Amino acid sequence: LMRYHGQPSGIFAADEFLAGRMPSRGAELCAVVESMWSLALLAQASPTDSQATKALDALEKLAFNALPGSVADDLWSHPYLQFANSIQATKGEADHVWTHDGPDAAMYGLVPNYECCTANMHQGYPKLISHLFFTDLAANAVISTIWAPSTVSIQGVGGGADIELRTEYPFDFSVEYVIKNPAAFTLRVRLPEFLREVAGPHEGLATLHVWLEGHEQIVMLTDGFLEYAIPA
């Protein structure tokens, strides 16, 4: 799908029809938020870490590229379609490239073109936030999936761990985990794709220098994840 219809923002061109890679063909806001939800579930259900990593890479690209430009900062308006090479959002575009949606599909409004995105758009950020951390009870592990400022209280791992993730990613690459836990557990952190390209191969192993409680350590990067043993 992405090979033949993918756009730079991470979504595929689909202005009611699969539209190829032409940057003037649109992608619907519904497709963005629903793809994000699907990718989060796909990551959870993936049988291997490398497959989960690929799903989370795609989710991150949508969350930080396709979704922000598709909604106003107060969430009261949105365009029905977004385009890679769109320079303005105007109504009444009679001479448009897309073949099915109406002339108001590129403008910001409460209900531009059709009602579906108005009903769907609000699920994007809440469902993203609810999937910033996964738990693996059998392995006594917490998985940090995507870097974003967040806090989480987890039952059943680490004796009931509280984790705060401090970061301004993607505008800054500094990431700090503040953890309170009465029992030991494993913290697994997905490293973003572009940092993995610097650190080592996507599949297999690489080593990175990190700091744990102020002490430098060497940790293994395995199939996209860093793994830390968090003491009690």
Side-chain angles (χ1 to χ4, degrees):
L1 186 62
M2 294 302 295
R3 178 183 299 175
Y4 297 108
H5 304 282
Q7 296 291 309
S9 64
I11 192 59
F12 48 88
D15 45 19
E16 313 306 334
F17 300 95
L18 289 173
R21 306 198 71 170
M22 181 180 179
S24 295
R25 295 298 295 269
E28 195 177 328
L29 176 53
C30 284
V32 174
V33 295
E34 290 172 0
S35 294
M36 289 173 59
W37 176 228
S38 296
L39 288 165
L41 295 178
L42 181 61
Q44 287 179 295
S46 294
T48 67
D49 286 345
S50 60
Q51 290 173 312
T53 298
K54 291 177 181 178
L56 293 170
D57 289 344
L59 172 57
E60 179 181 288
K61 193 169 185 179
L62 288 173
F64 294 145
N65 292 276
L67 184 57
S70 294
V71 293
D73 57 0
D74 60 3
L75 298 181
W76 272 100
S77 64
H78 66 277
Y80 185 79
L81 299 175
Q82 61 171 271
F83 314 87
N85 68 348
S86 178
I87 60 171
Q88 59 183 357
T90 59
K91 65 179 181 179
E93 290 192 33
D95 186 23
H96 52 71
V97 177
W98 59 91
T99 59
H100 186 76
D101 295 312
D104 294 337
M107 65 172 283
Y108 280 80
L110 182 62
V111 188
N113 192 70
Y114 196 68
E115 295 87 352
C116 58
C117 293
T118 305
N120 271 339
M121 58 177 281
H122 305 90
Q123 69 174 292
Y125 285 119
K127 288 184 176 178
L128 171 68
I129 293 169
S130 69
H131 287 80
L132 295 178
F133 291 91
F134 296 160
T135 58
D136 183 345
L137 297 180
N140 192 37
V142 175
I143 299 96
S144 175
T145 61
I146 293 177
W147 290 341
S150 53
T151 59
V152 63
S153 295
I154 298 173
Q155 302 300 316
V157 174
D162 294 323
I163 302 175
E164 179 184 0
L165 174 51
R166 299 175 180 175
T167 183
E168 294 183 3
Y169 182 83
F171 305 105
D172 183 85
F173 302 147
S174 175
V175 179
E176 181 182 7
Y177 291 86
V178 179
I179 301 171
K180 297 179 181 179
N181 58 300
F185 72 100
T186 298
L187 175 65
R188 306 188 67 219
V189 178
R190 171 192 152 270
L191 201 63
E193 183 178 12
F194 74 97
L195 290 177
R196 299 200 306 272
E197 292 175 352
V198 175
H202 282 239
E203 305 294 336
L205 304 177
T207 57
L208 290 174
H209 290 262
V210 299
W211 282 261
L212 182 62
E213 296 185 339
H215 301 288
E216 186 176 15
Q217 294 188 358
I218 297 177
V219 296
M220 302 298 294
L221 173 63
T222 307
D223 291 334
F225 290 91
L226 299 172
E227 188 167 302
Y228 303 85
I230 306 299

